[in-house]
Amino acid sequence: MSTPKAFRSVLAALALLFPLVLSQVATSLPASAAEVAVRTVYYDSSGAAEFKAAVDAGAAVWNNSVRNVRLVKGSPAALVIVADNGWPRAQTTSLGRGKIWFGRQAVNQGYDVTRIAAHEIGHIFGLPDRRTGLCQDLMSGSSAPVSCTNPNPNAKEKAEVEANFAGSRAAADFRGYYDETRVAAF
């Protein structure tokens, strides 16, 4: 059985268009986890004294929770963590940059050190305090009971950090909720 000439012409045209259509579909698909742009934030916890392990644990919490920003111990450090006798607090200078004071006062009151570290890193990632009192809300901070040991951000907090670091905003000078004149406390 022979194919009419017009039908063969249509098939030939489709064969030529198929690779073009396929490439358009492929470029419009969402990026896979391997293709997500990742911003590395280097941190220095050398001044965190007895809280160095807690800082590393808090960094690991965020590294396991979000895809487009990674905390890595090293230099040049965009984030500096030091221990002091006050209340834990964070000061951001831009998105992913700032200083955390790991205050012993909250630790002495019984608050979980990994939760404190993850909470303060949340500020550096652009999250505000949300005094909900709920243990499942990392950014509820000290409004959650002392018995709360949950160091993990909830889905909304993760999504907000992902959005903060998405695309061109990752490189932007993001003053967000906290700048040099405001300090957020646990």
Side-chain angles (χ1 to χ4, degrees), residues 100-182:
I100 292 173
W101 290 266
F102 205 111
R104 292 179 180 95
Q105 187 175 355
V107 176
N108 292 341
Q109 290 182 20
Y111 288 98
D112 182 74
V113 293
T114 304
R115 180 175 169 83
I116 293 169
H119 173 92
E120 297 305 332
I121 292 168
H123 290 310
I124 301 301
F125 286 173
L127 299 179
D129 281 316
R130 294 187 175 104
R131 303 274 181 209
T132 65
L134 301 174
C135 187
Q136 67 262 23
D137 297 341
L138 176 62
M139 298 314 291
S140 68
S142 63
S143 73
V146 172
S147 61
C148 176
T149 60
N150 172 33
N152 299 302
N154 64 32
K156 181 180 177 185
E157 293 163 338
K158 291 176 192 179
E160 192 171 343
V161 168
E162 294 282 8
N164 287 348
F165 282 90
S168 62
R169 288 190 68 186
D173 183 24
F174 179 75
R175 299 274 176 198
Y177 302 99
Y178 310 99
D179 62 22
E180 289 103 16
T181 62
R182 291 184 60 196

Side-chain angles (χ1 to χ4, degrees), residues 47-94:
E50 69 269 28
F51 304 118
K52 288 178 188 175
V55 170
D56 292 342
V61 165
W62 280 106
N63 287 344
N64 292 324
S65 297
V66 294
R67 298 180 319 161
N68 60 2
V69 61
R70 285 284 168 260
L71 285 156
V72 175
K73 192 181 291 192
S75 63
L79 171 59
V80 175
I81 302 100
V82 297
D84 74 358
N85 292 324
W87 195 255
R89 57 208 180 276
Q91 182 178 36
T92 60
T93 54
S94 62

Side-chain angles (χ1 to χ4, degrees), residues 42-53:
Y42 292 97
Y43 71 95
D44 175 7
S45 60
S46 63
E50 69 269 28
F51 304 118
K52 288 178 188 175

